[in-house]
Amino acid sequence: MRASVTAHRDFTISRIDDRLYCAFLEHLGRAIYTGIYEPGHPTADKNGMRGDVAQLVRDLRIPYVRYPGGNFVSAYNWEDGVGPREQRPTRLDLAWHTSDSNAVGVHEFYDWCETVGTKPMLAINLGSRGLDEARNFVEYVNGPTGSYWGDLRKKNGRAEPFDVRLWCLGNEMDGPWQVGHKTADEYGRLALETAKALRAFDKSLELVVCGSSNSDMATYPEWERVVLEHTYDAVDHISLHMYFNNRANHTANYLALNEKLDRYIGTIASTISFVKAKKRSKRNVTISFDEWNVWYHSNAADRATLDGNNGWPHAPRLLEDAYNFEDVLQVGCILNTFIRRSDVVRIACIAQLVNVIAPILTEPGGPAWKQTIYFPYYFASVFGRGTALNLTVDSPGYDADVADNVPYLDVSGVHDEAAGTLTFFAVNRHASETLELSIDLLGFGGPGRVIDHQVLTHADLKVANTLANPDAVAPKTGSGVAIDGSKLTGRLPPYSYQMIRVQL
Ligand code: AHR
């Protein structure tokens, strides 16, 4: 089976915002406690942060990490997480039916961000709380000393403002499960007034307003229209979330789901344009896709805790999806979609980063290891920076639940002019046929040479990287990709993910 692609230097989609490769950490399960933070772990630093996890995170070169939630943030008191540890209260977390010692708060999170080379994207509680706490929190984090909140921050160990630039105005406020859930009008008004107050403090802050929790919400996409009509000229991004599952165990339908993601992004891009026109605005609001991932493997195991049958445990195992090889293909397709829609998606956060639906798993007191999905995320984050190319793709396809004629080849291409490289991320969605791939490289000036070729494939779609067998799925250096003149050729085995890099 053949698939051909044309890549032309001048046919581009957009300069990719590096923030397409962000992540998310919530006070949920073991994401924080025994995830990034485990005093007493053999690799822990002086702040109690696990060094083995920090290294795996550092390697991912993540620009921003969203924190502290998630559903958790909608009943969170940020003040509980500052000041002397021994005086911090243990609180019940209403979102996940657990308790939180507050041993980690904004100071500890910020220091960890510095350790791993990332920056915080902070979420504000607009569920149980409102404008006043929002402005206090932002003043505490970014305000000067000589003021009440700045001086309190100094007393708590940090005189310099943290200078956090990126703020989320609540989380999934469209969701009935959310503490303090609101209608689009109620939320739109509150988000606008909060944005105005935050901008009165610092007009250069970057603000993210809540869009839909997923595209199956009954209020989607009317939610976005209403919220944006309230907030359009006061915010920078609208947030979208989407989780993917293969509960039906139908691989072809599962691997077509990024078609639905693409439609979701397209619909909200159109809604943004509609509101922009209606407002006669020259502002360009873009999308912050600040929660995305596969999430379903752990659902049954989590039920008892989420139903409240386990009391209020601290840092239990929750949402610990063990990702399999099939999920590598899914995550590869999702990331390709974000690259192809990088004209409007400026920020995207894999949800989450450690233990909770995460590319990294840890064992308390034991090792940390890479889940299968670590690899496509790593390759995209490290090598998917530059300009997204508008590829022409000619591939046979198949009809799936969510779309017809889904191409077997899912591909994106990135041109890094500074490095003089071209990088292609390709997934073969076919169960049994190899794709004979050819890519015409036009306008790049002279033949290039292949400098890297990584392949992920496995005979067992359901194999996962476990504590006992952490390297079951790992990338291998590929072979057989050749460049003749301006044509690159290669072979994509059935159900495979590949990254091909060309030095121009
Ligand atoms: O990431 C897990 C949860 O998914 C988040 O807390 C919430 O925002 C979403 O529903």
Side-chain angles (χ1 to χ4, degrees), residues 69-273:
N71 296 339
F72 169 83
V73 82
S74 293
Y76 178 56
N77 300 335
W78 63 269
E79 303 91 325
D80 293 343
V82 303
R85 267 215 181 101
E86 58 287 0
Q87 288 168 25
R88 296 186 193 174
T90 291
R91 296 271 189 195
L92 302 186
D93 165 26
L94 302 180
W96 302 104
H97 217 282
T98 55
S99 59
D100 194 312
S101 67
N102 281 300
V104 173
V106 69
H107 287 256
E108 292 79 15
F109 180 67
Y110 184 90
D111 291 345
W112 177 81
C113 285
E114 286 206 317
T115 304
V116 300
T118 190
K119 294 198 176 91
M121 171 186 192
L122 293 182
I124 287 168
N125 175 357
L126 288 187
S128 68
R129 310 185 91 186
L131 189 157
D132 212 35
E133 290 83 359
R135 76 181 176 113
N136 294 345
F137 186 27
V138 173
E139 273 186 49
Y140 180 88
V141 171
N142 284 355
T145 49
S147 67
Y148 177 78
W149 293 111
D151 285 347
L152 183 61
R153 185 190 63 240
K154 183 177 173 190
K155 189 170 156 221
N156 290 336
R158 167 95 186 189
E160 269 300 286
F162 290 110
D163 194 28
V164 172
R165 310 311 308 159
L166 199 48
W167 293 84
C168 303
L169 303 174
N171 175 71
E172 292 190 350
M173 299 309 304
D174 64 324
W177 58 85
Q178 202 71 214
V179 174
H181 160 61
K182 292 169 177 54
T183 66
D185 275 311
E186 288 166 349
Y187 171 67
R189 287 279 306 127
L190 175 61
L192 172 65
E193 292 307 319
T194 306
K196 276 166 53 187
L198 301 192
R199 291 215 187 282
F201 168 72
D202 177 352
K203 64 178 183 313
S204 70
L205 295 177
E206 228 176 312
L207 302 179
V208 184
V209 74
C210 294
S212 290
S213 304
N214 61 71
S215 61
D216 294 326
M217 297 296 293
T219 47
Y220 162 83
E222 183 64 359
W223 172 275
E224 280 82 354
R225 180 192 68 75
V226 174
V227 167
L228 283 174
E229 286 199 6
H230 284 289
T231 59
Y232 195 87
D233 285 310
V235 299
D236 301 285
H237 312 279
I238 183 151
S239 145
L240 298 182
H241 295 174
M242 182 170 175
Y243 291 98
F244 300 73
N245 75 76
N246 189 14
R247 275 188 210 103
N249 196 18
H250 190 298
T251 305
N253 280 337
Y254 179 53
L255 296 182
L257 286 175
N258 67 325
E259 296 280 329
K260 185 174 172 183
L261 170 65
D262 185 74
R263 273 204 304 273
Y264 187 16
I265 294 168
T267 301
I268 299 311
S270 302
T271 308
I272 292 170
S273 298

Side-chain angles (χ1 to χ4, degrees), residues 434-445:
T434 293
L435 281 175
E436 306 289 341
L437 174 70
S438 70
I439 308 181
D440 283 317
L441 306 174
L442 305 180
F444 294 101

Side-chain angles (χ1 to χ4, degrees), residues 24 26 28 66 69-72 96 171-172 177-178 241 243 291 295 319 351-352 356-357:
F24 172 39
E26 178 167 4
L28 196 185
R66 183 169 173 256
N71 296 339
F72 169 83
W96 302 104
N171 175 71
E172 292 190 350
W177 58 85
Q178 202 71 214
H241 295 174
Y243 291 98
E291 286 187 34
W295 176 12
L319 280 65
Q352 299 190 10
V356 171
I357 40 175

